Amino acid sequence: MALHLDNTTQQNVNQWLSGAYDAETKSQIQQLIDQEDQVTLTDSFYKSLEFGTGGMRGEMGVGCNRMNRYTVGAATQGFANYLLTVLGNQKIKVAIAHDSRNNSPEFCRIAADIFTANGIEVYLFPALRPTPQLSFAVRHLGCHAGIVITASHNPKEYNGYKAYWSDGSQVVAPHDKNIVAEVNAILSVDDIKFQGNDALLHLLDDQIDQEYLKTIQANCRQPEVIQRQKDLKIVFSPIHGTGITLVPKALALLGFTSVHVVQEQAEPNGNFPTVIYPNPEEKEAMTLALEQAKALDADLVIATDPDADRVGAAVKSPSGEWQLLNGNQMASLILYYLLKVDKKLGRLTGKEFVAKTIVTTDLIDKMCAQQGVPCYNTLTGFKYIAQVIRELEGKEKFIGGGEESYGYLIGDAVRDKDAVASCAMIAELTAYAKDQGKSLFDFLAEMYIENNFYYEGLISLTKKGKAGAEEIKQMMINLRSNVPASVAGSKPVKVLDYEGLQSTDLTTGQVSPIVEGRGIEASNVIQLILADGSKVSARPSGTEPKIKFYVSVNAPLASAADFDATFSSLQAKVKTIQEDLGLK
């Protein structure tokens, strides 16, 4: 069969075949043409891989819609151009790190060469390191920006590029859109300066590891408890990623002596040979760790994703079965422990705060209110939590926070979710529970008995193509214009519409503004608050053809013995809400 490519795809193919691209790249393109592989050619060339407000992510391969030396090059040249425009004649410094994915070291070095070719000093991690350490390094070294080559927990075919600003946070307005504009202005491979200047390249040594680990040690609240429970049995898996470089060291530094690494997943490997998805949210990715925990009769299971910004954990139930904790449960447990212990130690002075996203459990808000600690709610994305930390720096002290998607942060030395620091804190709070003769499951039940059992369900609906995009758009319109009279037997009492930044009291009809700032800006998100305290949040994904509904319900928990029955009841209620709203 003959190839039939649309005009844009054909033009892009022709540009890559005739432009200043290397011979191997051109050979691979010609091979696709000779094989008449229309599907791959079209997907690789029908558009340019989008550099969004946080960076970019895509499958690796040849073409303008793939991650390769040229798309990484264009992104880096655009970022460099923006830094040179904004910072002028300053001595500009950038920190760069990478994860364990295939091609990550090469992409990392390409980015370093392009920055130095543009007269920008680069501080480069010579070997893989966690994303949160890059965030730390940007601030610690006084850099103006940073990047990390990673695709987080995406499948092995992917890689990506995250961009950071001088405060160690992923870029936010106005820099985000301005950087995107500069990247989009790179129209030719000839615009990219690939020839690096090694005189401007500084390779980082393990001193930066020690400085970062010191901040994790400083987070520790009760070293004497860890000392008493130092033989706490911890099973840890880095799932073939960067967590292996620092999580065991952090746990050892705190004094834990019985850390068991899952050896089959200890070696960094971009093919992630033991899992389908390298994502600790997936039970399958935790299988080997859970098997080892059963064999050891461990106290705790923890696993980090490839760039070690997210962490999954599992606890042993009274029946002896291991249960995975979701992101809301783990974020709540961390804050429950920190608030409880900080109060006991006299660390709560009235100047502290917590931050989380608007789709993360309201249990955290409730616990903060009980201690008189403000809890700021932000849009989804850790850059918004970092924005709150930045705005309040020097005025209020950040205790910790997180988001439901398994990302947590303790203290403000890092400005992104931090699985290394989180693993250390999860181990500490497990030691604290054991010091009181309790398991982590008992600690979870205790939190629910004190505050109500909060359960959150995520309903993610995939709607592909143009028709799917229209359907998602219509679903949001319907939610805004037709608020149901009753959901699961409870009346909606408030609507929070972040697109128009307004809150409507459905009982009185009063409309009041949602204040912009501190992690809040106009965004296509709607929340329904029900009379019984349940909440439904709707948010179209910005990166995938999906619309997500976050459903939060809660009920009293009389005792740990009622845990399973209450849990089943709450799960059933989430299902009823899903059915009543027609979410399918």
Side-chain angles (χ1 to χ4, degrees), residues 173-193:
H175 305 301
D176 49 5
K177 291 182 172 60
N178 292 341
I179 293 168
V180 171
E182 288 286 357
V183 173
N184 291 339
I186 306 297
L187 300 178
S188 166
V189 66
D190 300 319
D191 296 335
I192 306 168
K193 300 177 181 178

Side-chain angles (χ1 to χ4, degrees), residues 479-498:
L479 266 176
R480 286 189 167 95
S481 58
N482 301 307
V483 177
S486 177
V487 181
S490 184
K491 185 180 178 183
V493 292
K494 184 183 283 189
V495 176
L496 300 170
D497 188 343
Y498 288 87

Side-chain angles (χ1 to χ4, degrees), residues 226-243:
I226 295 175
Q227 190 55 39
R228 289 196 294 269
Q229 301 297 336
K230 62 184 180 182
D231 59 351
L232 185 84
K233 287 183 190 172
I234 303 169
V235 171
F236 167 65
S237 173
I239 315 183
H240 305 292
T242 61

Side-chain angles (χ1 to χ4, degrees), residues 201 253 567:
L201 182 68
L253 186 63
F567 185 34

Side-chain angles (χ1 to χ4, degrees), residues 45-307:
F45 286 96
Y46 83 99
K47 66 172 184 174
S48 293
L49 187 62
E50 185 180 353
F51 189 94
T53 55
M56 64 183 183
R57 192 177 296 183
E59 291 186 43
M60 291 176 277
V62 295
C64 51
N65 192 36
R66 291 286 187 264
M67 282 289 295
N68 51 58
R69 66 178 279 110
Y70 300 106
T71 52
V72 167
T76 307
Q77 185 65 56
F79 199 0
N81 289 349
Y82 181 68
L83 289 169
L84 291 164
T85 299
V86 171
L87 300 173
N89 296 322
Q90 291 185 53
K91 184 178 175 184
I92 304 172
K93 300 193 293 184
V94 171
I96 306 178
H98 70 83
D99 70 2
S100 62
R101 287 179 179 272
N102 297 329
N103 297 315
S104 281
E106 293 84 350
F107 292 161
C108 194
R109 187 56 199 246
I110 288 164
D113 284 344
I114 291 168
F115 278 125
T116 60
N118 283 275
I120 294 170
E121 286 199 67
V122 168
Y123 292 81
L124 179 68
F125 284 94
L128 75 168
R129 283 296 183 273
T131 287
Q133 193 180 8
L134 182 279
S135 171
F136 170 79
V138 168
R139 297 178 70 244
H140 183 74
L141 298 169
C143 292
H144 299 88
I147 65 166
V148 59
I149 303 296
T150 179
S152 192
H153 54 277
N154 274 57
K156 65 183 179 181
E157 295 82 10
Y158 285 75
N159 214 323
Y161 186 113
K162 289 182 183 176
Y164 290 78
W165 202 245
S166 57
D167 67 334
S169 161
Q170 287 194 57
V171 291
V172 294
H175 305 301
D176 49 5
K177 291 182 172 60
N178 292 341
I179 293 168
V180 171
E182 288 286 357
V183 173
N184 291 339
I186 306 297
L187 300 178
S188 166
V189 66
D190 300 319
D191 296 335
I192 306 168
K193 300 177 181 178
F194 283 107
Q195 282 300 116
N197 176 2
D198 285 350
L200 296 177
L201 182 68
H202 310 281
L203 295 181
L204 296 168
D205 56 25
D206 65 358
Q207 182 61 35
I208 194 76
D209 293 350
Q210 304 312 315
E211 295 298 330
Y212 170 60
L213 288 169
K214 278 182 194 173
T215 69
I216 292 174
Q217 189 173 27
N219 288 334
C220 179
R221 299 309 204 259
Q222 300 186 101
E224 69 285 355
V225 169
I226 295 175
Q227 190 55 39
R228 289 196 294 269
Q229 301 297 336
K230 62 184 180 182
D231 59 351
L232 185 84
K233 287 183 190 172
I234 303 169
V235 171
F236 167 65
S237 173
I239 315 183
H240 305 292
T242 61
I244 192 63
T245 62
L246 290 174
V247 172
K249 288 180 180 178
L251 294 171
L253 186 63
L254 264 61
F256 292 104
T257 60
S258 187
V259 178
H260 305 266
V261 176
V262 178
Q263 290 304 315
E264 301 96 320
Q265 297 177 327
E267 190 72 26
N269 188 329
N271 292 319
F272 310 112
T274 65
V275 298
I276 298 170
Y277 298 108
N279 183 357
E281 295 182 53
E282 302 284 346
K283 188 170 185 178
E284 178 269 334
M286 303 280 280
T287 301
L288 291 173
L290 292 171
E291 286 174 358
Q292 189 164 327
K294 287 175 189 172
L296 286 168
D297 190 27
D299 297 291
L300 173 66
V301 173
I302 43 179
T304 51
D305 69 344
D307 67 327

